[in-house]
Amino acid sequence: MTQTDKAPATDPKAHGHFLDSMQLPSGVTRFWLIRHAIVEASARMRVYGSMDVELCTEHLALQVPYYTALGRRLPAEANWVVSPLKRAQDTARAIFEAGYGPRTMTIEPRFTEQSMGEWHNLPHQELPLKLRQTAHNFWSLSASEQPPGGESMLDVCARVGHSLDEMADRHAGQDTVVVSHGGAIRAALSHALNVHPDTGLRFSIQNLSVSIIERINGVWRVVTVNELPAAPAI
């Protein structure tokens, strides 16, 4: 067992750390990865990547019950880490204000979205004309395509992976909530599974979804992907 990962309080090593109960055990190095809320309509018409764009105020108002449900799903005692982009920080604040309660947020630049460089702010229909490689089926470009002045998803996966490993060492045996972006969360899943980012880009990561990963005995595993907050009762 490594120095950086504590065993769960109820140690399941004898049967391979299986998750046999409805509750996730405490004492595990666990990350709750949340994609930010939906951004305003005009930004969605263009390639915004790591640009700082605003959340959609209409959706913010309508989705308060979802923020409440999301807060109930998250651990009460957790470290909170956010991307430097305002949309991620505003999403975290919306969860706090919907009943979770205020928390201190640590800004982690390595969890920002993929930089599209000179392709930022292009209308989506113009981006295919700029590509030098065949676009990914489920992303705007292939993982190895690097926009001029920007970064590839290979770069994103490297920086996100380094950040995850460092945070896992720093917060061993603790829960950490990370409010981030679709690309960065796909990169985190790629790192956890040790797969090429082109494979990780096949995951669907919706706004306000939660994906959970853990590091146990120095090895990452995926607990859940793209879990959406429970719909409010009608």
Side-chain angles (χ1 to χ4, degrees):
M1 181 171 178
T2 68
Q3 294 290 324
T4 57
D5 299 302
K6 298 178 182 178
T10 54
D11 189 357
K13 285 189 294 183
H15 68 310
H17 293 281
F18 298 154
L19 295 174
D20 292 335
S21 70
M22 297 294 290
Q23 300 297 322
L24 294 176
S26 61
V28 173
T29 307
R30 182 177 296 121
F31 291 83
W32 306 68
L33 309 172
I34 301 174
R35 186 184 175 196
H36 63 79
I38 194 165
V39 302
E40 55 97 9
S42 63
R44 299 198 301 273
M45 303 298 292
R46 295 178 174 270
V47 176
Y48 58 86
S50 61
M51 293 172 57
D52 227 347
V53 299
E54 297 290 333
L55 294 180
C56 175
T57 54
E58 181 180 1
H59 278 84
L60 274 172
L62 291 173
Q63 293 181 334
V64 169
Y66 291 94
Y67 290 100
T68 301
L70 187 52
R72 289 173 180 162
R73 176 71 175 101
L74 298 173
E77 299 297 326
N79 309 293
W80 278 75
V81 175
V82 292
S83 152
L85 298 181
K86 187 173 182 290
R87 60 185 180 268
Q89 297 174 37
D90 286 348
T91 299
R93 292 189 187 96
I95 296 170
F96 300 162
E97 292 168 3
Y100 186 86
R103 297 292 191 276
T104 299
M105 296 184 290
T106 299
I107 295 174
E108 174 48 76
R110 288 172 292 182
F111 256 95
T112 195
E113 185 55 286
Q114 179 181 11
S115 172
M116 298 297 283
E118 295 177 15
W119 297 345
H120 276 135
N121 217 31
L122 276 177
H124 287 292
Q125 64 269 23
E126 294 183 17
L127 180 61
L129 302 176
K130 302 285 186 180
L131 301 182
R132 297 166 295 237
Q133 302 177 22
T134 302
H136 193 280
N137 286 328
F138 303 108
W139 196 245
S140 300
L141 58 168
S142 72
S144 56
E145 176 100 58
Q146 182 174 359
E151 59 184 346
S152 69
M153 275 301 296
L154 295 172
D155 299 324
V156 177
C157 194
R159 62 169 163 80
V160 168
H162 290 153
S163 179
L164 277 172
D165 288 337
E166 289 180 11
M167 286 194 291
D169 289 342
R170 191 180 315 125
H171 302 300
Q174 301 175 26
D175 287 292
T176 300
V177 177
V178 182
V179 186
S180 184
H181 309 271
I185 293 171
R186 289 174 175 91
L189 294 169
S190 300
H191 179 72
L193 293 172
N194 194 26
V195 298
H196 193 279
D198 269 328
T199 300
L201 287 173
R202 296 185 187 185
F203 285 112
S204 177
I205 304 296
Q206 294 169 258
N207 296 102
L208 297 183
S209 68
V210 179
S211 299
I212 305 172
I213 60 176
E214 299 174 337
R215 196 176 75 172
I216 298 174
N217 297 344
V219 179
W220 289 97
R221 75 169 172 187
V222 176
V223 177
T224 186
V225 175
N226 200 45
E227 177 186 312
L228 295 172
I234 298 176

